């Protein structure tokens, strides 16, 4: 154990603008003070040392991998005389395996730690408490990293940071890649020692969070529905959120008197949601959508909020993810329901080129949301969306929402009613981001003294910008000024390194040659299969980005297993698996035929993708088997089948294991394009999402130019078995000669079927706002032994794209 002189001042107050030099200053300060510093090389040394630390002392973790460690950091520092837990060199102290950190006491400072390659054994990775009543106060977590520190099962919930106590700070940290259930950072204002806490969450970089496919994918949550009547008074200031797509709520506000200010939301599929609790301030935020689907702004529930000086740029979300969504409420709402919107002021915001700028009465009717907003004023806003026809989507009558002194422009020009006024709209750029502003005078609000850039309002104008940024005082939160500088430098160096291209690997015919090649394959490799039969004796695990193609002639995969219920391929991790131009023979006559061709891993299959193109798959006919099987707890980003023939099998795509009815589902996107599905005993797809959870996108199925022929061995079957999938688009396809009692049942306003033909098959069922149009009930008249249309077919030229219904 090494001993040296060291000390560190209260950098929260002294060096707020220069956190990235904190470690250097730590050792410079050591030259001028008499506190003690201890370098430790093992957990045992740490435990011994931490007990004797006093105000001003430091414990330094030696550069190494610390695996399967539980750090308990207790102590009582003093104002401007913290007790420190720091890395010897930020980035060279990694905490891995089953590890966590808990801290309690006063004036503690943690800096430079990196959590990777593991997961927490507790409910959180870092907690500002060491017991149910042992909290941290006036303490700081700074310049730390938690990166992909995930549980192996998606449904195993944890949080990465849990903040208890009062006046704690989380700053200049990086949190990215959380893929399992649980909020990234939670503030817990649960008792008298944690309410009115004045915590500060400042200049952190919240990196990409993939879609979770269920509730529990928030990036920040402040409070819970059970304590939403209590005030937290937490400040979330100047953070950068990038591709935070876990669910609809990026920030979930569930307590009172919080300030959500000066943050940047970059291409995030979700919104800042005032879910529970009153009197929030939402100001100075930048919502940058860049036209990406599902990017949202602010959703409003409860009362007393002030939403001002925010900029909403090219957001493409709708309904709950609109630029501004004002919700309807539930009568006598329970704590976890929807309380009425009352006394809310929405002023001096700018909406530029948003697809759905404002939604009033969102959620009307569903879950008994029939209580309308009251005493809500939209004042001095600039809505400039020249590519949008409907600036306000009304889901209910909205007498309780008043509009006054707003400039509103759609593709039809300036609105001249509904509290809209005429005025010039000017354009400029700030930090390479397009903005619009106006010189038109605003109705003055005394508390709005500055604009989004910190410029003095003076003679205030409409919108978020007082001018084109001539005297900007507030630095826009970006990837460059948020998070630890040292971690971004490491990441940037990795990006600058030349990316290795995947190798081309030739695979000869034979037994398990493909299996051997895949075990040796690197990420991005392309395996070319020689002509002939490639025998597989056991499932092949695919955990990397791999492409399997034929080498120019017919390559056939067959299984010769010595046991039942085997599969060709298991896809795990976030692999992107492409299979092109291959024939797969399920060989139902084999002693032990394959039960599945493709399955998800039972654990760890997060946001993987499967792409099947120009393939023929047949004879997968084992009872309860399927061509593809998704297990409970897995979620695919994309399942795509194109230009293929899938035939003579028991089931197609089995994606119905999420039966707990909490809104979970097995894939975000399923795409069938220009493909034949023929002679299935049961369904082509079972795609299930149960319950009424509204936190996710709800799954998406797109079918175009497909043929469904002879589906269902009896009338009990369904061709396309869909339950609760929010987005369904079926077009230009043929349903033919199928005894299944149901072809497809569509439900909800985002389900549609058009330009499809039905012959000797059940008609589609359409309900609850789903749409159908241009359906034909004609014999497709295929050519012999083909699914191409004969010249006599009435489906020629009847597709929505001008082509034929059925195959392209």
């Amino acid at each position: 154990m090494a001993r040296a002189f060291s000390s560190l001042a209260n950098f929260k107050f002294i060096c707020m603008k220069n956190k990235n030099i904190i470690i250097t200053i730590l050792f410079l300060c050591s030259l001028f003070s008499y506190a003690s510093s201890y370098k430790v090389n093992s957990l045992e040394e740490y435990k011994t040392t931490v007990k004797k630390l006093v105000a001003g002392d430091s414990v330094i973790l030696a550069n190494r991998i610390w695996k399967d460690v539980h750090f308990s950091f207790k102590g009582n520092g003093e104002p401007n005389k913290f007790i420190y837990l720091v890395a010897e060199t930020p980035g060279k102290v990694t905490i891995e395996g089953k590890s966590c950190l808990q801290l309690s006491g006063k004036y503690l400072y943690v800096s430079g730690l990196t959590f990777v390659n593991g997961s927490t054994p507790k409910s959180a990775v870092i907690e500002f408490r060491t017991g149910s009543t042992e909290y941290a106060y006036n303490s700081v977590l700074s310049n730390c990293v938690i990166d992909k520190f995930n549980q192996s099962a998606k449904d195993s919930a944890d949080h990465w940071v849990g903040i208890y106590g009062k006046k704690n700070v989380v700053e200049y940290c990086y949190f990215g890649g959380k893929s399992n259930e649980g909020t990234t950072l939670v503030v817990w204002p649960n008792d008298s020692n944690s309410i009115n806490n004045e915590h500060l969450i400042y200049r952190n970089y919240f990196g990409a969070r993939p879609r979770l496919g269920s509730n529990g994918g928030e990036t920040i949550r402040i409070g819970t529905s059970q304590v939403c009547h209590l005030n937290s008074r937490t400040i979330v200031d100047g953070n950068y959120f990038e591709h935070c797509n876990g669910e609809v709520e990026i920030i979930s506000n569930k307590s009172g008197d919080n300030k959500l200010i000066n943050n940047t939301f970059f291409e995030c599929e979700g919104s800042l949601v005032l879910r529970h609790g009153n009197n929030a301030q939402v100001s100075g935020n930048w919502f940058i959508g860049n036209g990406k689907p599902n990017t949202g702004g602010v959703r409003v529930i409860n009362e007393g909020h002030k939403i001002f000086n925010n900029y909403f740029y090219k957001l493409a979300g709708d309904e709950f993810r609109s630029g501004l969504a004002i919700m309807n409420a539930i009568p006598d709402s329970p704590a976890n329901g929807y309380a009425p919107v009352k006394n809310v002021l929405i002023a001096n915001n700018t909406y530029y080129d948003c697809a759905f700028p404002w939604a009033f009465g969102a959620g009307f009717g569903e879950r008994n949301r029939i209580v309308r907003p009251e005493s809500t004023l939209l004042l001095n806003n600039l809505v400039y969306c020249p590519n949008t026809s409907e600036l306000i989507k009304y889901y209910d009558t909205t007498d309780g929402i008043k509009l006054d002194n707003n400039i509103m422009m759609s593709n039809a020009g300036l609105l001249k009613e509904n509290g809209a006024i005429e005025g010039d709209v000017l354009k400029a750029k700030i930090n390479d981001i397009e903005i619009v502003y106006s010189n038109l005078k605003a109705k003055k609000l005394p508390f709005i003294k500055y604009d989004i850039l910190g410029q003095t309002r003076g003679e205030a104008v409409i919108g978020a910008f007082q001018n084109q940024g001539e005297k900007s005082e507030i630095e826009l939160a970006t990837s460059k000024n948020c998070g630890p500088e040292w971690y971004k430098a490491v990441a940037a160096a990795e990006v600058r390194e030349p990316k290795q291209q995947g190798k081309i690997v030739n695979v000869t015919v034979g037994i398990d040659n493909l299996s051997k090649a895949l075990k040796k394959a690197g990420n991005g490799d392309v395996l070319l299969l020689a002509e002939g039969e490639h025998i597989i004796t056991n499932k092949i695990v695919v955990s990397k980005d791999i492409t399997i193609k034929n080498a120019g002639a017919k390559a056939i995969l067959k299984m010769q297993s010595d046991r039942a219920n085997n599969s060709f391929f298991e896809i795990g991790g976030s692999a992107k698996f492409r299979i092109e131009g291959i024939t797969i023979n399920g060989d139902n006559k084999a002693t032990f035929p394959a039960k599945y061709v493709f399955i998800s891993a039972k654990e760890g299959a997060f946001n993987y993708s499967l792409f099947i193109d120009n393939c023929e798959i047949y004879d997968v006919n084992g009872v309860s088997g399927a061509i593809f099987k998704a297990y409970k707890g897995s979620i695919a980003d994309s399942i795509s089948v194109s230009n293929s023939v899938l035939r003579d099998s028991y089931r197609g795509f089995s994606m119905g294991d999420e039966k707990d009815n909490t809104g979970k589902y097995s894939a975000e996107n399923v795409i069938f394009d220009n493909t034949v599905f023929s002679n299935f005993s049961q369904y082509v797809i079972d795609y299930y999402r149960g319950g009424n959870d509204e936190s996710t996108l709800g799954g998406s199925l797109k079918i175009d130019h497909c043929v469904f022929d002879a589906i269902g061995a009896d009338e009990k079957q369904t061709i396309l078995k869909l339950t609760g999938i929010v987005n369904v688009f079926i077009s230009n396809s043929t349903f033919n000669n199928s005894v299944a009692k149901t072809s497809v049942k569509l439900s909800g306003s985002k389900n549609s079927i058009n330009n499809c033909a039905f012959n000797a098959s059940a008609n589609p069922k359409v309900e609850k706002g789903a749409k159908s149009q241009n359906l034909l009930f004609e014999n497709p008249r295929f050519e012999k032994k083909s699914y191409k249309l004969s010249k006599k077919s009435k489906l020629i030229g009847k597709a929505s794209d001008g082509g034929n219904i059925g195959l392209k």
Side-chain angles (χ1 to χ4, degrees):
M1 198 182 314
R3 178 181 173 91
F5 294 112
S6 73
S7 182
L8 190 65
N10 182 351
F11 287 99
K12 169 72 198 93
F13 303 104
I14 297 176
C15 300
M16 177 65 77
K17 301 295 185 180
N18 298 285
K19 302 308 295 182
N20 297 313
I21 62 169
I22 186 172
I23 301 302
T24 302
I25 296 178
L26 167 63
F27 292 103
L28 288 176
C29 289
S30 72
L31 299 175
F32 303 104
S33 61
Y34 298 96
S36 297
S37 173
Y38 304 89
K39 179 181 174 182
V40 297
N41 290 277
S42 69
L43 185 60
E44 291 71 24
E45 285 186 339
Y46 171 83
K47 289 178 178 178
T48 301
T49 302
V50 77
K51 294 176 182 178
K52 60 186 179 183
L53 299 178
V54 297
D57 284 355
S58 304
V59 57
I60 301 172
L61 300 184
N63 292 345
R64 51 163 286 202
I65 294 173
W66 295 72
K67 192 168 185 179
D68 300 328
V69 290
H70 174 192
F71 291 110
S72 180
F73 185 38
K74 297 183 180 181
N76 288 297
E78 300 170 0
N80 299 315
K81 203 173 182 183
F82 282 56
I83 298 174
Y84 304 99
L85 168 60
V86 299
E88 180 182 6
T89 305
K92 294 186 178 181
V93 174
T94 62
I95 301 171
E96 305 184 13
K98 290 293 183 181
S99 299
C100 61
L101 165 65
Q102 295 178 303
L103 57 150
S104 67
K106 298 178 181 178
Y107 297 100
L108 306 176
Y109 201 109
V110 179
S111 180
L113 308 184
T114 302
F115 290 81
V116 291
N117 301 324
S119 62
T120 179
K122 293 184 174 291
S123 61
V125 180
I126 300 174
E127 280 190 298
F128 283 68
R129 67 171 183 173
T130 56
S132 60
T133 59
E134 295 179 336
Y135 294 168
Y137 302 88
N138 301 97
S139 296
V140 178
L141 178 71
S142 181
N143 280 271
C144 289
V145 169
I146 307 178
D147 193 350
K148 301 182 183 69
F149 206 68
N150 296 310
Q151 304 292 337
S152 59
K154 178 176 78 78
D155 295 341
S156 295
D158 63 22
H159 307 297
W160 278 4
V161 179
I163 311 178
Y164 298 81
K166 295 187 178 183
K167 295 187 177 180
N168 295 313
V169 178
V170 177
E171 61 181 7
Y172 290 93
C173 293
Y174 174 87
F175 308 110
K178 193 175 196 308
S179 59
N180 65 302
E181 191 173 318
T183 307
T184 305
L185 185 152
V186 184
V187 176
W188 298 94
N190 292 2
D191 56 30
S192 60
N193 293 316
S194 285
I195 61 172
N196 299 314
N197 53 62
E198 300 181 22
H199 296 318
L200 175 63
I201 301 165
Y202 181 77
R203 280 290 190 249
N204 300 287
Y205 189 147
F206 292 93
R209 176 156 195 183
R211 296 172 183 171
L212 182 64
S214 71
N215 194 9
E218 305 97 328
T219 298
I220 292 179
R221 192 183 75 232
I222 308 172
T224 63
S225 59
Q226 292 84 357
V227 299
C228 63
H229 59 287
L230 301 176
N231 290 334
S232 186
R233 292 184 181 168
T234 295
I235 301 170
V236 181
D237 180 7
N239 301 280
Y240 183 72
F241 299 82
E242 181 178 54
H243 300 157
C244 294
N245 302 337
E247 60 150 273
V248 68
E249 299 179 19
I250 305 166
I251 295 180
S252 183
N253 184 82
K254 294 187 175 181
S255 52
D257 278 358
N258 298 312
K259 292 184 178 180
L260 313 168
I261 58 177
N262 306 323
N263 303 287
T264 298
F265 300 86
F266 182 79
E267 296 179 359
C268 294
E269 292 183 351
S271 301
L272 186 163
V273 180
L274 305 177
R275 186 64 184 86
H276 304 297
N278 301 325
N279 304 315
Q281 176 183 327
V282 180
S283 66
N285 300 290
W286 296 63
F287 297 84
I288 310 300
N290 289 332
K292 297 297 177 67
N294 310 306
T295 47
V298 176
R299 181 154 60 106
V300 184
I301 308 152
N302 288 80
E303 58 186 86
H305 307 306
K306 290 183 172 63
I307 302 164
F308 61 94
N309 281 348
N310 300 288
Y311 183 49
F312 305 84
Y313 177 69
K314 292 193 174 182
L315 303 178
D318 63 354
E319 296 183 350
F320 287 10
R321 290 176 168 86
S322 300
L324 170 70
I326 302 176
M327 297 287 293
N328 265 23
I330 297 171
D332 302 316
S333 176
N336 64 349
Y338 285 81
V341 174
K342 296 180 181 179
N343 302 316
V344 172
L345 177 63
I346 302 160
N348 287 96
N349 302 288
T350 295
Y351 300 80
Y352 181 13
D353 204 12
C354 296
F356 298 91
W358 291 353
F360 293 172
F364 166 66
E366 299 174 5
R367 300 174 67 172
N368 198 33
R369 285 184 293 237
I370 59 174
V371 178
R372 298 162 183 160
E374 302 176 19
S375 307
T376 296
L377 175 62
L378 283 83
L379 177 70
N380 299 333
N381 298 289
L382 171 55
V383 182
Y384 179 77
C385 300
N387 297 308
T388 299
S389 60
E390 191 175 27
L391 298 181
I392 306 174
K393 174 69 174 178
Y394 292 96
Y395 292 91
D396 193 7
T397 55
T398 53
D399 297 340
I401 300 177
K402 181 182 178 182
L403 281 65
D404 186 21
N405 206 51
N406 303 293
I407 296 177
M408 305 187 70
M409 176 177 281
S410 68
N411 59 9
L414 283 167
L415 269 64
K416 300 179 182 179
E417 54 189 17
N418 262 347
I421 59 173
E422 295 186 57
D424 292 334
V425 176
L426 307 173
K427 295 183 179 181
K429 275 192 175 183
I430 296 174
N431 286 7
D432 292 324
I433 300 172
E434 295 177 294
I435 69 162
V436 290
Y437 66 101
S438 173
N439 291 325
L440 201 63
K441 185 177 179 180
K443 292 188 176 181
K444 193 164 186 178
L445 295 166
F447 69 90
I448 303 181
K449 298 178 181 179
Y450 306 95
D451 76 348
I452 188 173
L453 300 171
Q455 300 177 118
T456 302
R457 280 285 184 179
E459 188 72 23
V461 298
I462 285 174
F465 301 94
Q466 185 67 14
N467 51 47
Q468 57 185 314
E470 297 162 357
K471 298 180 180 179
S472 178
E473 296 292 331
I474 297 175
E475 186 180 16
L476 174 66
T478 69
S479 60
K480 295 180 179 179
N481 59 25
C482 294
E485 188 62 38
W486 58 267
Y487 194 73
K488 288 181 291 185
V490 170
E494 291 176 353
V495 170
R496 284 195 297 270
E497 289 180 3
K499 291 186 178 180
Q500 293 184 349
Q501 297 294 322
K503 303 186 299 295
I504 303 295
V505 179
N506 291 294
V507 181
T508 59
V509 297
I511 298 176
D512 285 332
N513 288 347
L514 175 59
S515 303
K516 295 171 186 175
L518 269 168
K519 285 181 181 179
K520 296 179 180 179
N523 201 50
D525 282 0
V526 178
L527 278 59
L528 297 181
L529 306 192
E531 181 181 5
E533 286 192 348
H534 295 256
I535 305 301
I536 296 171
T537 62
N538 203 355
K539 72 179 179 185
I540 301 173
V541 176
V542 179
S543 57
K544 303 173 183 177
D545 293 353
I546 293 291
T547 299
I548 297 176
K549 303 172 68 171
N550 70 56
K554 190 172 184 178
I556 302 172
L557 298 184
K558 289 183 69 174
M559 176 161 282
Q560 292 181 0
S561 179
D562 60 359
R563 63 183 180 86
N565 302 324
N566 216 332
S567 308
F568 282 80
F569 300 101
E570 177 187 287
I571 310 170
S574 57
K576 292 179 175 60
F577 183 31
R578 301 175 186 274
I579 186 160
E580 302 175 7
I582 302 296
T583 297
I584 301 177
N585 181 358
D587 193 9
N588 193 48
K589 296 178 182 178
T591 304
F592 297 106
K595 185 174 183 179
Y596 306 111
V597 178
F598 308 98
I599 62 173
S600 71
K602 292 184 178 180
E603 284 193 352
F606 302 144
N607 296 286
Y608 67 94
S609 293
L610 170 63
F611 302 96
I612 302 168
D613 183 41
N614 193 30
C615 292
E616 183 177 15
I617 303 174
Y618 62 93
D619 208 9
V620 186
N621 245 322
V623 175
S624 77
I627 290 172
F628 170 79
K629 167 73 173 178
Y631 284 104
K632 181 177 172 60
S634 67
I635 184 166
D637 178 81
S638 298
I639 304 293
S640 174
V641 185
S642 58
N643 310 310
S644 297
V645 174
L646 280 59
R647 61 178 176 85
D648 301 315
S649 295
Y650 188 72
R651 294 171 176 164
F653 290 74
S654 180
M655 304 165 63
D657 273 11
E658 297 288 359
K659 291 290 175 62
D660 51 6
N661 294 333
T662 57
K664 297 177 182 178
Y665 48 97
S666 298
E668 284 291 352
N669 303 288
V670 180
I671 302 166
F672 296 157
D673 180 60
N674 198 44
T675 291
V676 172
F677 301 88
S678 172
N679 196 24
F680 283 73
S681 299
Q682 292 195 355
Y683 50 76
V684 169
I685 185 171
D686 178 10
Y687 193 6
Y688 188 93
R689 172 182 177 268
N692 60 2
D693 176 70
E694 297 169 318
S695 62
T696 67
L697 293 172
S700 173
L701 173 65
K702 294 182 180 179
I703 297 174
D704 190 40
H705 284 290
C706 288
V707 172
F708 301 92
D709 182 58
I711 309 298
D714 54 56
E715 291 186 354
K716 296 179 181 179
Q717 307 308 322
T718 300
I719 299 175
L720 305 175
K721 191 176 179 182
L722 309 178
T723 304
I725 302 304
V726 172
N727 306 284
V728 179
F729 311 96
I730 303 172
S731 58
N732 306 318
S733 296
T734 297
F735 295 77
N736 185 64
N737 195 30
S738 297
V739 300
K741 185 177 181 179
T742 304
S743 58
V744 62
K745 182 179 178 180
L746 302 179
S747 182
S749 61
K750 293 186 177 181
N751 281 212
S752 66
I753 183 168
N754 66 275
N755 298 79
C756 289
F758 293 82
N759 176 61
S761 298
N763 294 347
K765 297 179 180 179
V766 178
E767 65 178 21
K768 297 182 180 179
K771 304 175 184 67
S772 67
Q773 60 181 5
N774 300 331
L775 303 185
L776 286 76
F777 302 92
E778 299 282 353
N779 187 327
R781 295 186 180 276
F782 297 122
E783 293 181 359
K784 289 183 179 181
K785 297 182 180 181
S786 170
Y787 287 99
K788 293 181 179 180
L789 299 180
S790 71
K791 294 180 180 179
K792 295 180 179 180
S793 176
K794 294 182 179 180
L795 307 187
I796 293 174
K798 296 301 176 74
S800 60
D801 56 10
N804 300 336
I805 291 178
L807 298 181
K808 296 177 182 177

